[in-house]
Amino acid sequence: MTETIPSTLTTSHNGIGRIYFRNPDRRNAITQAMWTDLAEAAKSFAVDADIRVVIIRGEGELAFSAGADISEFDNNRRDPAQIKAYNETIQEAIEAIEAIPVPVVALVHSLCIGGGTAAAIACDLRYFADDAQFGIPAVRLGVGYDPRWIKRLVDAVGSTNASSVLLTGRRFSAQAALRIGLATEVYPKADLDTLVEDIVLDIATNAPLSLRAAKKAIQESLAFDKDRDWLTPFEMIETCAHSKDYLRALDAFSEKEKAVFNGD
């Protein structure tokens, strides 16, 4: 029997970090242990100065993730105390994804359900294959969906579309995801990996300080009012203005060349 490794990460020489959901026998359904592994993987990338962009995807092409692994709910999510602990494990993973200071890209093949959708929404960009389906079936399982996750969904698609997703519990197509703003773009399944790889490589060549400043400003725009921090984004803009990368860009423009950024 092949051992299933819950999640793993690799980094490449070009500054791209990769996190995989790995539970192929269950369409990459996410166990509680996998949520913990996901949090640790995200945290490791967050402090790696060489990482310029991160991709999150499911192993293979059968699913990004079919959602939380319901088969373990009877043991891990039976009573209110267990439910609270389980939800906090998920929340830690989602917050860890969001705390990665560089762009995070979700590459979505086929199924993206429940907790898989929550993880994808935590990413900055979401590219869907044309065969992908997403949905949040909490109402069909008697599950109360965490308000923090609902806010992220509302921020991404608006309250009316969020209501449709949450109150029906239905699955929606990739084209529906694009129409409501959940998907950044939809590509033919056969081309998805190649096209997203090109986009990610483009992102990785951009100025790291500028990427981080833009992401932070967007995040603060979406934060709860009581948690919003505008000081840090403005400080990051100042850092960009005083950076060597900015001077490199000016010199490259004058020479009609493409700037090479070092993140300093």
Side-chain angles (χ1 to χ4, degrees):
M1 180 176 178
T2 302
E3 181 184 4
T4 297
I5 303 171
S7 67
T8 188
L9 64 91
T10 60
T11 57
S12 62
H13 67 279
N14 57 10
I16 300 171
R18 303 175 193 273
I19 299 174
Y20 294 84
F21 292 121
R22 299 189 68 192
N23 192 0
D25 292 341
R26 298 190 60 80
R27 293 182 180 268
N28 296 324
I30 310 170
T31 65
Q32 189 167 9
M34 287 172 68
W35 284 116
T36 299
D37 287 349
L38 175 59
E40 292 305 312
K43 289 175 184 177
S44 73
F45 282 136
V47 297
D48 188 336
D50 293 329
I51 295 297
R52 297 196 177 188
V53 60
V54 173
I55 299 175
I56 298 179
R57 63 169 298 164
E59 185 175 64
E61 298 183 1
L62 292 179
F64 178 78
S65 171
D69 192 339
I70 299 173
S71 69
E72 67 177 15
F73 278 17
D74 198 44
N75 293 323
N76 294 2
R77 210 176 184 278
R78 184 75 182 181
D79 59 51
Q82 287 182 320
I83 291 171
K84 181 178 180 181
Y86 194 98
N87 285 352
E88 288 304 319
T89 301
I90 297 175
Q91 180 63 16
E92 181 181 1
I94 290 173
E95 289 182 353
I97 294 171
E98 293 179 330
I100 297 174
V102 299
V104 182
V105 175
L107 192 156
V108 182
H109 283 293
S110 301
L111 294 181
C112 182
I113 307 298
T117 300
I121 292 172
C123 300
D124 303 298
L125 299 166
R126 294 172 288 275
Y127 295 100
F128 278 51
D130 55 8
D131 73 330
Q133 297 180 50
F134 79 95
I136 300 175
V139 293
R140 300 189 176 194
L141 298 170
V143 172
Y145 212 63
D146 192 303
R148 294 169 293 186
W149 311 340
I150 291 176
K151 182 185 185 304
R152 292 177 178 87
L153 178 64
V154 172
D155 287 339
V157 306
S159 61
T160 300
N161 290 320
S163 295
S164 178
V165 171
L166 292 167
L167 301 183
T168 67
R170 296 174 59 188
R171 291 186 184 182
F172 297 84
S173 68
Q175 290 301 325
L178 182 63
R179 176 176 53 80
I180 68 176
L182 183 67
T184 305
E185 195 60 77
V186 173
Y187 295 123
K189 183 173 183 175
D191 301 330
L192 180 68
D193 286 18
T194 299
L195 293 173
V196 172
E197 195 73 19
D198 288 344
I199 293 168
V200 166
L201 287 170
D202 280 345
I203 293 172
T205 64
N206 290 331
L209 295 175
S210 297
L211 291 172
R212 290 169 181 248
K215 175 166 180 172
K216 182 63 175 174
I218 292 168
Q219 287 181 322
E220 294 306 327
S221 298
L222 298 173
F224 286 106
D225 289 343
K226 67 182 182 64
D227 298 328
R228 191 166 290 153
D229 165 26
W230 281 122
L231 179 61
T232 300
F234 279 106
E235 289 176 343
M236 294 174 79
I237 292 171
E238 280 294 305
T239 299
C240 290
H242 291 88
S243 69
K244 293 178 182 177
D245 272 351
Y246 175 61
L247 297 179
R248 291 186 186 102
L250 292 181
D251 291 341
F253 180 81
S254 297
E255 298 296 327
K256 295 182 173 55
E257 297 176 348
K258 183 176 177 62
V260 177
F261 298 110
N262 296 330
D264 59 353

